């Protein structure tokens, strides 16, 4: 059996309980060494065979899984964050299906949620935004034309932008071209929840300048939108005294 496990945002104790237990039981672990916190490998048993996929190609990764499966071993494919977001897992799953190898997924906490916790953000502030867009700039991997930064910026929603730290000048231009005012709040979070985390809040216009000042060139997430500044929002009706729910009737005695 192969398990695709989300490593979480970075800190070793932010992996899910299920993910931790699977690591403890694994016979073989293939981890994304360029992104996954190596402290997570401390959960592995002494006899566990560990491979760093940073230097491997797809065929080599599948070969390791196939051999381990033939030997009746339990394999963990450890991906950063949540495997379903920029994890390149579908192509691995398809190859396993061709070979009749069973697999399951164990979710993890993606970087945008670790970044939100670091800044104590709520992406979906009433009256500001009720939508979170998770996206990336087009680079060596293309982006469908309908999902360009300019197109998504039209919504003026909260946005978490992955894999784009090396293109911040272009990113800012596209965000502004799409409709965000240049003074829209924006944040750069380098290695969210890792011990070496750095977080800076400014504006869309400041993104490239801020990154250059602090030497941030990769492994950072960009957050954009009014929710970053947590201002000009309305209180939730959910906890309003004059609002009835399935569990609570509206009250007139609370002002």
């Amino acid at each position: 059996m192969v398990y695709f496990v989300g490593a979480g945002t970075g800190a070793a104790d932010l992996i899910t309980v299920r993910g931790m237990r699977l690591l403890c039981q694994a016979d073989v672990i293939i981890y994304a060494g360029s992104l996954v916190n190596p402290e997570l490998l401390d959960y592995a048993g002494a006899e566990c065979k560990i491979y760093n996929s940073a230097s491997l190609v797809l065929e080599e990764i599948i070969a390791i899984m196939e051999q381990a499966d033939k030997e009746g071993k339990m394999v963990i494919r450890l991906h950063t964050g949540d495997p379903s977001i920029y994890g390149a897992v579908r192509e691995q799953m398809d190859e396993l299906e061709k070979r009749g190898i069973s697999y399951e997924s164990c979710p993890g906490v993606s970087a945008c949620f670790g970044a939100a916790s670091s800044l104590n953000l709520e992406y979906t502030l009433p009256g500001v935004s009720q939508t979170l867009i998770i996206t990336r700039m087009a680079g060596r991997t293309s982006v469908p034309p309908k999902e360009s930064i300019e197109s998504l910026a039209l919504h003026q929603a909260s946005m978490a932008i992955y894999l784009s730290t090396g293109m911040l000048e272009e990113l800012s231009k596209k965000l502004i071209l799409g409709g965000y005012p240049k003074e829209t709040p924006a944040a750069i979070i380098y290695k969210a929840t890792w011990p070496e985390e750095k977080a800076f809040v400014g504006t869309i216009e400041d993104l490239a300048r801020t990154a250059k000042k602090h030497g941030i060139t990769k492994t950072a997430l960009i957050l954009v939108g009014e929710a970053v500044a947590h201002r000009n929002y309305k209180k939730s009706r959910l906890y309003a005294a004059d609002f009835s729910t399935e569990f609570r009737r509206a009250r007139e005695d609370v002002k």
Side-chain angles (χ1 to χ4, degrees):
M1 173 69 81
V2 176
Y3 292 89
F4 291 88
V5 176
T9 61
D13 60 349
L14 286 178
I15 191 171
T16 64
V17 174
R18 180 182 295 182
M20 178 189 69
R21 288 174 177 167
L22 288 170
L23 286 177
C24 291
Q25 298 166 13
D27 299 304
V28 175
I29 295 174
I30 308 170
Y31 77 107
S34 59
L35 296 168
V36 169
N37 187 343
E39 290 182 18
L40 287 163
L41 301 177
D42 292 341
Y43 291 124
E47 302 301 317
C48 181
K49 185 76 172 178
I50 298 174
Y51 298 87
N52 182 348
S53 66
S55 60
L56 303 176
V57 297
L58 176 62
E59 290 77 11
E60 292 170 324
I61 293 169
I62 298 302
I64 293 169
M65 293 177 176
E66 186 173 23
Q67 183 59 40
D69 185 72
K70 287 179 180 178
E71 296 172 2
K73 294 180 178 180
M74 175 180 167
V75 180
I76 302 297
R77 179 64 169 113
L78 188 61
H79 281 272
T80 183
D82 182 275
S84 69
I85 299 179
Y86 306 120
V89 293
R90 187 64 255 170
E91 60 198 44
Q92 298 174 67
M93 293 173 177
D94 286 345
E95 291 299 322
L96 294 178
E97 287 184 7
K98 291 177 184 177
R99 293 161 173 77
I101 298 173
S102 298
Y103 61 87
E104 291 183 9
S105 295
C106 175
V109 181
S110 190
C112 65
F113 303 113
S117 70
S118 297
L119 296 178
N120 294 312
L121 296 187
E122 180 180 348
Y123 289 119
T124 52
L125 288 174
V128 174
S129 177
Q130 291 293 287
T131 300
L132 171 63
I133 297 173
I134 296 174
T135 190
R136 59 168 294 169
M137 283 274 287
R140 294 176 68 183
T141 300
S142 63
V143 170
K146 290 183 179 180
E147 297 179 15
S148 69
I149 293 294
E150 303 96 303
S151 297
L152 297 176
L154 288 170
H155 298 285
Q156 300 289 290
S158 300
M159 191 180 293
I161 305 168
Y162 288 65
L163 305 169
S164 304
T165 313
M167 301 175 280
L168 291 181
E169 287 190 12
E170 183 182 359
L171 174 62
S172 293
K173 291 177 182 177
K174 289 181 178 295
L175 288 168
I176 294 168
L177 181 63
Y180 282 108
K182 63 182 181 181
E183 63 273 12
T184 300
I188 301 174
I189 301 90
Y190 169 77
K191 285 199 166 184
T193 77
W194 290 63
E196 58 267 43
E197 173 190 284
K198 298 177 184 177
F200 305 97
V201 177
T203 67
I204 288 175
E205 187 179 33
D206 295 333
L207 284 171
R209 185 163 51 249
T210 300
K212 183 176 181 180
K213 177 180 178 180
H214 297 282
I216 300 173
T217 59
K218 60 181 181 179
T219 327
L221 186 71
I222 310 302
L223 306 182
V224 174
E226 286 295 325
V228 173
H230 42 81
R231 64 192 183 195
N232 302 323
Y233 67 92
K234 298 177 181 178
K235 289 184 179 179
S236 169
R237 295 296 295 150
L238 179 60
Y239 300 109
D242 63 347
F243 187 76
S244 295
T245 72
E246 179 184 356
F247 306 100
R248 186 190 71 242
R249 291 186 178 182
R251 295 168 55 182
E252 296 181 359
D253 60 322
V254 179
K255 303 296 184 182

